[in-house]
Amino acid sequence: MRVIRVLLAEDQHVIRSALAALLGLEEDLEIVATVESGEAALAAALVHRPDVAVLDIDMPGRLDGLAAAAELRTRLPACRALMLTAYGKPGHLRRALGAGVAGYVLKTAPPDELVAAIRKIAAGERVLDPSLAVTAWDLADNPLTPREADVLRLAASGADATDIAARLHLAAGTVRNYLTVIVTKLNARNRTDAVRIATEAGWI
């Protein structure tokens, strides 16, 4: 029997512990690391080299689950990513597909579906929560460029134009121009409304 090495990344301790205990009951699954952030997931994966990384999408820090999945695909191609989320945001699904993840499952899925998804992904298959498939095709494409998304993501965290400029190595005036363009693209009333629209759509 092949044992599937699994890394689990979830920022909420109770959920992380429960998932680790659940997956640990399966004879063919071995939990090689449990972490609470995207950065820690990437570091642990490079050390433990899991077959499957189960990543929560919404984790704090520089790398959310989707960014961590994209990094893993580049730096550890043999590790396949399964995204786990409480919210079925179609925008997140589009980003996940763009990052080359192997699976996308809602946290509300029955435990046996999560276990089955891990096994399928380890076997080279892809898994998509059926409740999101049709919605994903109907969703409008993300109008934001990667740089605009970076700017808006930092704005959403409370950073002002000067802070954003320093972190992205841009001029403050350039950041303000980005924010103006973002508000226009999203047909938002202001920066706060732009953050709301982009967050609800899963674009940031």
Side-chain angles (χ1 to χ4, degrees):
M1 179 181 64
R2 178 197 174 192
V3 175
I4 302 167
R5 295 167 56 81
V6 179
L7 177 147
L8 177 61
E10 160 64 57
D11 65 313
Q12 296 186 43
H13 177 72
V14 172
I15 296 177
R16 186 171 67 250
S17 298
L19 287 173
L22 171 71
L23 298 178
L25 295 174
E26 303 296 324
E27 292 184 359
D28 60 336
L29 302 184
E30 177 188 359
I31 307 300
V32 297
T34 60
V35 297
E36 61 184 18
S37 70
E39 291 93 335
L42 181 59
L46 293 175
V47 171
H48 297 286
R49 309 187 81 79
D51 300 303
V52 176
V54 179
L55 307 169
D56 180 25
I57 286 182
D58 297 307
M59 289 187 289
R62 182 178 63 87
L63 297 178
D64 63 7
L66 290 171
E71 287 281 344
L72 280 173
R73 186 185 185 194
T74 299
R75 301 177 64 179
L76 193 64
C79 176
R80 310 194 78 212
L82 170 63
M83 307 314 300
L84 194 62
T85 181
Y87 308 102
K89 295 180 180 179
H92 278 167
L93 177 55
R94 282 283 182 88
R95 283 181 61 202
L97 295 177
V101 304
Y104 194 101
V105 176
L106 296 178
K107 290 181 181 178
T108 53
D112 58 337
E113 287 187 13
L114 174 59
V115 171
I118 292 173
R119 289 175 178 143
K120 288 179 180 178
I121 286 172
E125 299 178 41
R126 300 186 77 179
V127 178
L128 173 62
D129 190 293
S131 68
L132 295 176
V134 175
T135 307
W137 287 113
D138 292 338
L139 181 73
D141 288 333
N142 182 355
L144 303 178
T145 65
R147 177 60 86 184
E148 289 166 352
D150 289 340
V151 168
L152 191 58
R153 196 173 291 113
L154 289 173
S157 72
D160 61 21
T162 303
D163 294 332
I164 296 171
R167 293 178 66 174
L168 296 181
H169 308 291
L170 299 170
T174 301
V175 170
R176 283 189 283 271
N177 288 340
Y178 270 124
L179 290 169
T180 298
V181 170
I182 290 166
V183 169
T184 301
K185 277 187 173 183
L186 300 184
N187 294 317
R189 296 186 298 275
N190 49 41
R191 183 186 310 180
T192 301
D193 193 37
V195 167
R196 177 191 62 78
I197 292 169
T199 300
E200 290 179 355
W203 293 331
I204 63 171

